[in-house]
Amino acid sequence: MKVTEHIQNANGKPLFSFEILPPLKGQNIQSIFDAIDPLMEFKPPFIDVTYHREEYEYKELPSGLLEKKVVKKRPGTVGICSAIQNKYQVDAIPHILCGGFTKEDTENFLIDLDFLGIQNVVALRGDAVKNETYFKPEKEGNHYATELVTQISNLNTGIYLDDELQNSSATNFCIGVAGYPEKHMEAPSLDSDIYFLKQKIKSGASYIITQMFFDNKKFFDFVAKCRKEGITVPIIPGLKPIGTKKQLNLVPHRFKVDIPDELIMSVVRAETPEAVKQIGIEWCINQSKELIKEGISVLHYYSMGKAENIKAIAKEVF
C-alpha cells in the first residue's frame, strides 16, 4: 500500500513509523530484525530503509601513483526491504540516491523494486561522501532530486530511458522527498529551499518527510510556508531523541540543525549516560504529543538501528 493510502485510511489516528540503516558489511540481517522486533507492537504501516552510496579512499603506491579503493560499508537496501515485507507484512520504503547511480542504474534499481512489489520510494540527491567537499553527481546520473523524481514519475507512465521499447509496463511508485524545516545545509535561504521543494512536488512527489528537528515551532513554521506556496501533500515530521552528550556537537555539525538551549543545558548538567538518554526521550515524547495535538497524522523516528529509545517514546505516545 502507498504511504498516502496509509494516511488516508488512518481516519485521523496518528501513525508510527521509523527508519533503519542497513547493517555494516559482514553482519547478517538478524541485526535488522533485532532492531525492528521491539517496535512492531506499535503497528508501523511502513519502515524506511536508508541507502548508503559507495565511498572510496586513495592509497599511494610505491610508484607514487594513487590507487582508488572502493569501500562500501552498508550494502543490502533492496534485500532488506524485501525481507521486511515478507517477514512483517508491512511496507518497506527504500531510499534512492542521485549520487553513485547513473540513470541506467536507477532505472534497473526501480525495476527490481517493482518486481518485488515495493510501491514506495524516497528520492534523495544524497550528500557528499567524506572525501568530497561538495556533492558530485555521476556523469550519466541525475544531478538533483527533482531530476530523480522526474525519472521515477516517467516510469510510472511507462516511459523508460530506451524510447524504442514496445508495450512497456508502467510502475506504480508513491514518491517521497525530503524537506528541511531549518533549510538544507547548501540552500542560500529557507524560501529558496521551499521553492525547489515545490518543484519536486510538481515533478511527481506525493509526500514530504522532514529532516530531524528539536523545536516544533520550526516545523510548524515550515509547514505554514509550504502551504502558503501551494504545497498540499502530506508533510511527515522526522524526530530523533538525543542519546548522548556527544550528540550535542555531532548532530548540529552533521545535520545542520539547532538544538534548543533548554535541551542542551539539561543534557550538559546530566550526571550519568542514563540521565542523558532519559532527557532525550522525555523531550521527544513532549515533541510527539504536541505534534499529534496539532493534527499531525504520522510521526517518523530516526532510530539509527537502536530500538530502546524509540520504544520508550512510542509507549507514551501511541
Side-chain angles (χ1 to χ4, degrees), residues 128 179 226 277 308:
C226 287
K277 287 182 182 179
E308 181 184 352

Side-chain angles (χ1 to χ4, degrees), residues 62-253:
S63 63
L65 297 175
L66 293 177
E67 179 184 50
K68 182 178 178 180
K69 180 182 178 182
V70 174
V71 182
K72 190 171 185 180
K73 294 184 177 180
R74 294 183 183 272
T77 296
V78 176
I80 291 167
C81 286
S82 180
I84 287 173
Q85 294 203 163
N86 181 63
K87 180 177 175 64
Y88 298 104
Q89 304 301 305
V90 301
D91 286 301
I93 307 178
H95 291 190
I96 303 179
L97 309 181
C98 295
F101 287 87
T102 66
K103 290 184 180 181
E104 186 74 25
D105 292 335
T106 296
E107 184 170 274
N108 292 336
F109 188 88
L110 291 163
I111 289 170
D112 284 344
L113 296 176
D114 184 51
F115 288 169
L116 289 169
I118 293 170
Q119 292 186 304
N120 302 279
V121 295
V122 174
L124 305 165
R125 189 201 69 175
D127 297 325
V129 294
K130 64 181 181 181
N131 53 302
E132 296 176 345
T133 303
Y134 298 103
F135 171 79
K136 294 180 181 179
E138 296 297 312
K139 184 177 180 181
E140 301 297 329
N142 293 301
H143 290 210
Y144 303 100
T146 303
E147 294 179 0
L148 177 55
V149 171
T150 298
Q151 182 176 5
I152 301 169
S153 296
N154 284 342
L155 278 183
N156 281 348
T157 59
I159 300 174
Y160 288 70
L161 296 175
D162 183 353
D163 56 13
E164 294 182 0
L165 291 177
Q166 299 293 320
N167 302 316
S168 56
S169 297
T171 57
N172 190 30
F173 293 113
C174 177
I175 307 168
V177 292
Y180 298 86
E182 299 174 62
K183 87 175 184 62
H184 189 275
M185 64 183 74
E186 296 176 19
S189 70
L190 180 58
D191 286 343
S192 67
D193 207 17
I194 290 175
Y195 171 85
F196 288 108
L197 177 58
K198 186 174 181 179
Q199 305 312 304
K200 290 188 278 189
I201 304 304
K202 286 183 176 179
S203 297
S206 299
Y207 71 97
I208 297 164
I209 189 162
T210 77
Q211 174 65 280
M212 69 182 72
F213 57 91
F214 298 90
D215 181 348
N216 283 355
K217 185 178 186 304
K218 294 187 177 182
F219 173 76
F220 294 135
D221 289 347
F222 172 73
V223 172
K225 281 179 172 288
C226 287
R227 300 308 185 214
K228 184 178 179 180
E229 292 301 314
I231 297 173
T232 60
V233 301
I235 301 176
I236 300 173
L239 301 168
K240 173 181 168 51
I242 291 292
T244 65
K245 287 189 176 184
K246 192 175 181 180
Q247 289 177 350
L248 293 180
N249 300 108
L250 290 179
V251 169
H253 175 73

